[in-house]
């Protein structure tokens, strides 16, 4: 195929609609006779429901219904939400009912749904629903939940431990007994959230005559949402349709099925009207899935040359009140710690703890930034203790390109061994360091310190498993009007699916991307799908688009060859026609060929021909494709206020063959912005009763435009052998190494003051506290 679009920085097809206000989000959808919903939510982190009195609310003008657990359809009273990823290690799974039955386990848990003529009435009615709660013991911290005599996060639970899972490779005892040096660290990474611009939302329309259920939902995967509806409602497949229109950000949490979706559907069934629910920002803080806390107690063994011999320790992870994704998030963390380094022995034990906080599921990076933070901080410790340059310590331990494919020795969340397929990790770091003139930084730092200015530089290296299975599908179809359409179950939230997939398909037919329409987010368009998360769409949907487009293009050439009486190899596809190569002007248009492929009524098709110009491909990866990147940050810390200014940030990034460099740049820059927030601002604070103290953007800081530096991006392209396009994922690559690069830079800047950092994020207040603690130690 002629590569006209692949690899080009073509402007996004999506943007004209967004820039002219023509985006269509869930809240833009208005259905006839639609009602509106609001939820009664628990004000306590753990309590027994003694009674619910909704009589006053039901009596209000404009209130259509108040539904509690006891008014739900029978299947919802019998079934808890499905567990997305069950694994053997998850010995204590906890899943909620659609509405709380007899116990609430975190602040914000849904107890009842109020349906009214408008949202204002629904909100007023929520305040009139009287719920009598008996407070129970609270687990507000995952480590405290492991202590003997700790309260139980759920009634009747034998333990607060959801899972314990070891990850072991090599002879860890020998590694530590033979080590010249052993260094220990205790690292804490605080809970945060996604906080997308568009909050969650859903509209359910149940047609009581046809028994069809249509659900519009702001999601990252319509087919997985549909599967959850199937497991909870007894609805025939053909009568259930899930549609996701435009999505204003997802970052992981919109990949989950939430209790509100089933409650809205039940409300539509009960009232006979379409019902809309749009999450407000406070609900977003107390009811949308978040990520971490994580406590790491780790140690590293090295020889006299700073070569790593082994890493071991324990990760204690806060899973929140429920386990909707099992232990996917902390498992990814444990499997990601080794990063781009040769580690002969590794022993990390995961302990996942159920607490009385909002459940934790993947947020951009999905546990990888935390793992990278641990490994990179350990290497900084090695460099400091041995008096070596941090970049040199990394160079001595890198996996080399000639070692690929490289078996890390651990098992990933998909149950398969972690085997890096390709990449040049030393070069990636070298490119980033050269870009910031790393060799001259020591002089710059010395000069700044003479002016009482504290500047620092930090490195972060990461390897990311992308393109996770099991599959993603694409149907490519040429209609009888000659138009080319690609349908996929991959649901975008800003990743430019409609551009990049069009680039792949367009090259098969020799047309511009404007000649290819990409349809996403509708279960009626393609039978199966998994969704957009974990940097998987370029690999899975991209490969499927390639395979489906290739198959249709082959068929087009075969039919054209029959009609033009030449061989298929004599046909070239360009500008919407199938043309005989050479000087002749003989051709057939795609429209003519599509019409011919469907045959004529009462006549047989040509021998061996199947009807239509259409193919559906489901690419199934046998192994993840591993992207990698190096982030280098240069910062200045104001030691009087604790404010951190990022002077420079360079990303050297390898996502395999790049479909659209401009799109990848946008993904990397967005990921860096996310990393800046996680490094310096975002803290989801709770008190000792698990009451959230961060419930709005006045209390939870997000980075502003002024906080995010210009990101310098250097693309490396090491093709992956694990898919036909040679691509790897890019959506999270900017986030994963950036957090620790910034924290390492802050630590480097404050090293003259004796500050030791083993946590994230570093708010200005926390930086001042760390400086004061260092001063107190020096005096003592």
């Amino acid at each position: 195929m002629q590569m006209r679009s692949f690899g080009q920085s073509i402007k996004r097809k999506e943007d004209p609609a967004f820039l002219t206000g023509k985006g269509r989000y869930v809240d833009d959808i208005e259905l006839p006779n639609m009602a509106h919903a609001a939820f009664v939510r628990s004000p306590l982190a753990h309590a027994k429901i003694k009674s619910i009195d909704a009589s006053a609310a039901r009596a209000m003008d404009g209130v259509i219904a108040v539904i509690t657990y006891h008014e739900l359809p029978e299947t919802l009273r019998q079934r808890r939400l499905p567990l997305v990823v069950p694994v053997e290690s998850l010995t204590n799974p906890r899943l909620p009912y659609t509405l709380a039955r007899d116990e609430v386990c975190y602040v914000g848990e849904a107890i009842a749904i109020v349906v009214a003529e408008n949202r204002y009435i629904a909100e007023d009615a929520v305040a009139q629903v009287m719920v009598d709660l008996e407070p129970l013991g609270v687990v507000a911290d995952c480590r405290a939940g492991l202590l003997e005599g700790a309260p139980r996060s759920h009634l009747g639970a034998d333990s607060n431990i959801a899972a314990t899972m070891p990850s072991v490779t090599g002879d860890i005892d020998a590694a530590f007994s033979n080590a010249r040096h052993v260094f220990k660290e205790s690292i804490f990474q605080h809970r945060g959230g996604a906080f997308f611009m568009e909050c969650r939302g859903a509209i359910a329309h149940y047609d009581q005559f046809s028994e069809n259920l249509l659900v519009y939902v702001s999601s990252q995967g319509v087919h997985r949402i549909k599967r959850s509806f199937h497991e909870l409602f007894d609805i025939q497949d053909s009568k259930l349709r899930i549609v996701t229109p435009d999505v204003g950000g997802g970052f992981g949490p919109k990949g989950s099925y939430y209790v509100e979706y089933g409650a809205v559907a039940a409300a539509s069934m009960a009232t006979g009207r379409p019902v809309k629910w749009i999450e407000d920002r406070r609900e977003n803080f107390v009811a949308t899935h978040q990520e971490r806390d994580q406590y790491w107690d780790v140690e590293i063994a090295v020889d006299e040359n700073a070569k790593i011999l082994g890493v071991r320790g324990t990760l204690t992870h806060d899973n929140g009140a429920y386990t909707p994704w099992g232990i996917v998030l902390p498992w990814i963390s444990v499997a990601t710690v080794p990063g781009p380094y040769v580690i002969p022995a590794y022993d990390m034990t995961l302990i996942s703890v159920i607490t009385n906080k909002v459940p934790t599921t993947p947020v951009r990076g999905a546990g990888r930034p935390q793992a990278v933070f641990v490994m990179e901080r350990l290497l900084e410790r090695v460099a400091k203790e041995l008096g070596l340059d941090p970049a040199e310590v990394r160079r001595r331990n890198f996996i080399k390109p000639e070692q690929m494919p490289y078996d890390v020795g651990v098992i990933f969340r998909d149950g398969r061994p972690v085997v890096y397929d390709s990449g040049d990790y030393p070069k990636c770091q070298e490119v980033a360091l050269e870009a910031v003139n790393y060799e001259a930084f020591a002089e710059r730092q010395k000069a700044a310190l003479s002016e009482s200015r504290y500047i620092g530089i930090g490195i972060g290296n990461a390897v990311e498993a992308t393109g996770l299975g099991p599959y993603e599908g694409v149907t490519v179809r040429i209609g009888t009007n000659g138009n080319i359409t690609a349908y996929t179950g991959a649901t975008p939230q800003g990743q430019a699916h409609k551009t990049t997939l069009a680039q792949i398909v367009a090259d098969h037919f020799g047309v511009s991307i404007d000649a290819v329409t990409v349809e996403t987010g509708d279960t009626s368009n393609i039978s199966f799908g998994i969704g957009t998360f974990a940097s998987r769409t370029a690999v899975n949907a991209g490969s499927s688009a390639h395979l489906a487009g290739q198959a249709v293009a082959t068929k087009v050439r075969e039919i054209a060859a029959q009609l033009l009486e030449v061989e298929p190899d004599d046909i070239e596809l360009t500008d919407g026609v199938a043309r005989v190569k050479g000087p002749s002007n003989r051709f057939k248009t795609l429209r003519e060929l599509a019409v011919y492929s469907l045959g004529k009524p009462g006549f047989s098709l040509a021998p061996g021909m199947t009807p239509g110009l259409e193919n559906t491909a489901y690419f199934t990866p046998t192994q993840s494709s591993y992207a990698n990147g190096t982030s280098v940050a240069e910062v200045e810390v104001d030691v009087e206020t604790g404010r951190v200014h990022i002077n420079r940030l360079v990303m050297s990034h390898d996502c395999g063959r790049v479909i659209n460099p401009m799109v990848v740049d946008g993904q990397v820059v967005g990921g860096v912005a996310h990393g800046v927030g996680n490094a310096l601002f975002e803290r989801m604070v709770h008190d000792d009763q698990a009451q959230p103290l961060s419930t709005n953007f006045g209390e939870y800081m997000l980075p502003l435009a002024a906080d995010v530096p210009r990101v310098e991006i250097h693309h490396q392209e090491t093709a992956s052998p694990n898919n036909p396009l040679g691509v790897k994922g890019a959506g999270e690559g900017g986030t994963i190494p950036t957090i620790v690069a910034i924290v390492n830079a802050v630590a480097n800047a404050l090293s003259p003051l004796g500050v030791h950092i083993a946590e994230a994020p570093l708010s200005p207040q926390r930086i001042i506290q760390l400086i004061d603690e260092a001063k107190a130690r020096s005096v003592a």
Side-chain angles (χ1 to χ4, degrees), residues 754-765:
V755 172
H756 178 70
I757 296 174
E759 64 190 78
L762 296 173
S763 65
Q765 177 185 2

Side-chain angles (χ1 to χ4, degrees), residues 88-108:
E88 185 177 340
S89 299
L90 182 61
T91 56
N92 184 21
R94 293 285 168 173
L95 285 308
Y97 288 102
T98 297
L99 294 171
R101 184 178 66 176
D102 47 23
E103 177 187 20
V104 288
C105 295
Y106 64 92
V107 173

Side-chain angles (χ1 to χ4, degrees), residues 582-654:
S584 74
N585 195 29
R586 300 170 60 211
F587 65 87
K588 292 291 182 180
T589 66
L590 294 182
R591 179 185 179 280
E592 290 174 310
L593 296 170
V595 170
Y596 178 81
S597 72
L598 294 175
K600 294 182 290 186
F603 293 81
S604 299
L605 291 173
M609 192 173 81
T610 55
L613 297 179
E614 175 182 319
N615 183 268
T616 299
Y618 290 97
F619 176 73
T620 301
T622 57
Q623 182 73 42
S624 294
S625 299
Y626 286 86
N628 69 280
T630 299
S631 180
V632 179
E634 187 173 326
V635 307
E636 180 167 350
V637 182
D638 186 329
V639 296
E640 300 296 326
T641 66
R643 176 175 169 79
V644 176
H645 184 268
I646 303 172
N647 297 329
R648 286 191 74 182
L649 199 144
V650 172
M651 272 293 306
S652 179
H653 186 258
D654 187 344

Side-chain angles (χ1 to χ4, degrees), residues 200-218:
R200 293 181 296 127
I203 299 171
H205 181 198
Y206 182 71
D207 187 323
Q208 294 181 327
F209 295 100
S210 66
E211 297 183 334
N212 288 334
L213 176 62
L214 167 64
V215 179
Y216 295 96
V217 59
S218 182

Side-chain angles (χ1 to χ4, degrees), residues 165 167-169 330-343 346 368 371 399 403-422 425 462-466 468 622-627 722:
M165 187 191 79
S167 183
V168 181
T169 184
W331 190 341
I332 292 174
S333 292
V334 167
T336 303
V337 168
Y341 308 111
V342 175
I343 302 179
Y346 180 69
R368 296 177 184 89
I399 299 164
Q403 294 177 274
M404 298 294 180
Y406 184 83
D407 188 344
V408 177
V410 300
I411 302 299
F412 196 53
R413 53 150 289 195
D414 59 2
R416 294 173 177 170
V418 175
V419 179
Y420 298 159
D421 56 318
S422 59
Y425 307 150
V463 180
E464 177 192 4
T466 72
L468 303 183
T622 57
Q623 182 73 42
S624 294
S625 299
Y626 286 86
N722 290 346

Side-chain angles (χ1 to χ4, degrees), residues 190-195 281 285 292 641-644 673-685 693-705 707-708 761-767:
H190 193 53
R191 174 182 281 247
F195 300 113
R281 187 57 73 180
F285 272 89
R292 35 191 203 278
T641 66
R643 176 175 169 79
V644 176
H674 216 131
V676 170
N678 276 232
L680 300 175
F681 298 103
E682 301 181 49
R683 294 181 63 85
M684 184 60 66
V685 182
L693 304 180
S694 311
T695 58
N696 58 61
F697 288 136
E699 299 161 343
Y700 183 95
M701 293 191 296
L702 288 175
L704 305 176
D707 300 311
V708 180
L762 296 173
S763 65
Q765 177 185 2
R766 183 57 182 149
I767 287 174

Side-chain angles (χ1 to χ4, degrees), residues 18 23-29 198 201-203 215-220 222 242-249 254 491-494 498 520-522:
F18 294 142
R24 186 171 183 259
Y25 301 86
V26 170
D27 202 22
D28 293 322
I29 298 171
E198 178 207 23
I203 299 171
V215 179
Y216 295 96
V217 59
S218 182
S219 82
Q220 294 177 228
V222 288
I242 311 296
V243 178
T244 288
D246 292 324
V247 178
K254 282 188 183 174
T491 306
Q493 318 104 50
K498 295 183 180 182
T520 65
D522 190 336

